[in-house]
Amino acid sequence: DTLFVGQLGVTSTMMSTTKAAATAASPSSTSSIPLAALGACTSIFHLAFHCVKGTTATTASLVAGAVVRDEQKQQADEKGITQKETTLIAQTSMQQAFITGTVISLFLLAFGTKCLNAMGVSTSSTLLFSSAFTYLNYRAVAAPAVVLLTASEGIFRGFGDVITPWKVSLVVAGLNLVLDPFCMFRKQTGMGMMGLGMGIKGAAVATS
């Protein structure tokens, strides 16, 4: 996000030079607004998701323990009992992850203004607050999915599978790399206009 949001700031600067006489903000201050908004929101999300950082390790430990008990009881023909336990642990972890993510999402949507104020983004800074508030709201909606992915990673690790989470991470990073410029910018190409031109809102949508 930082790379493309920085380019968004440069684009804003170029546009602001044509309107400098009609606005109070200088081109240099305008160019820093998207990055400043991104910085404040990133800090908020890091704090929010840090609360569930241990979900991966905890889930992996619980699932791994159930798998070990499954292997120990296999000779006694009690494998079915342990399989149900493993399934229950995985289901419970996913349910708790969804609930936790929903709580985080609702909290950020309800108290987004206060969170931004705590990060030094004042409502009096109209352009900065508007950009940060937009980015925060759009990314907050995806909080349940983020926590669910964290719990899912723990489940795979519990079964000894670290390759699948790694592949998923690569796919997610690749999608973000492609969707960021597509959602943020709109440019004329040989095939016509390309991109959605959503600005910092597009950065939030792509990251979500």
Side-chain angles (χ1 to χ4, degrees):
D1 278 0
T2 304
L3 172 63
F4 295 110
V5 171
Q7 293 181 358
L8 180 64
V10 173
T11 303
S12 299
T13 302
M14 295 174 62
M15 294 178 63
S16 67
T17 55
T18 62
K19 302 179 181 179
T23 60
S26 65
S28 59
S29 64
T30 303
S31 66
S32 64
I33 288 175
L35 284 176
L38 178 65
C41 292
T42 299
S43 298
I44 292 173
F45 285 112
H46 280 176
L47 288 173
F49 294 131
H50 185 73
C51 300
V52 295
K53 195 70 174 179
T55 302
T56 300
T58 302
T59 304
S61 178
L62 291 172
V63 173
V67 171
V68 170
R69 289 190 294 273
D70 179 31
E71 294 175 351
Q72 291 175 344
K73 295 179 181 180
Q74 185 174 4
Q75 298 299 325
D77 197 26
E78 298 179 5
K79 185 176 180 181
I81 297 176
T82 308
Q83 283 180 331
K84 291 181 181 180
E85 179 185 355
T86 306
T87 302
L88 178 61
I89 291 174
Q91 290 177 344
T92 302
S93 297
M94 295 297 285
Q95 290 171 357
Q96 291 180 344
F98 179 76
I99 293 173
T100 303
T102 301
V103 170
I104 292 175
S105 179
L106 293 176
F107 178 85
L108 293 177
L109 290 173
F111 301 100
T113 299
K114 294 186 180 297
C115 292
L116 289 173
N117 290 341
M119 288 296 170
V121 181
S122 173
T123 52
S124 60
S125 303
T126 307
L127 292 177
L128 176 59
F129 179 81
S130 176
S131 297
F133 190 71
T134 298
Y135 186 89
L136 182 70
N137 283 345
Y138 274 83
R139 275 206 64 184
V141 175
V146 173
V147 184
L148 281 172
L149 285 174
T150 302
S152 299
E153 181 181 353
I155 294 173
F156 279 107
R157 288 186 177 184
F159 282 105
D161 182 2
V162 296
I163 300 299
T164 299
W166 177 71
K167 290 180 179 179
V168 171
S169 297
L170 286 180
V171 172
V172 171
L175 285 175
N176 183 235
L177 186 64
V178 173
L179 290 177
D180 255 339
F182 179 78
C183 292
M184 292 173 62
F185 305 108
R186 184 171 177 81
K187 295 182 178 180
Q188 179 68 42
T189 66
M191 296 182 295
M193 296 298 294
M194 297 289 292
L196 300 179
M198 297 172 65
I200 196 167
K201 185 190 301 184
V205 171
T207 304
S208 300

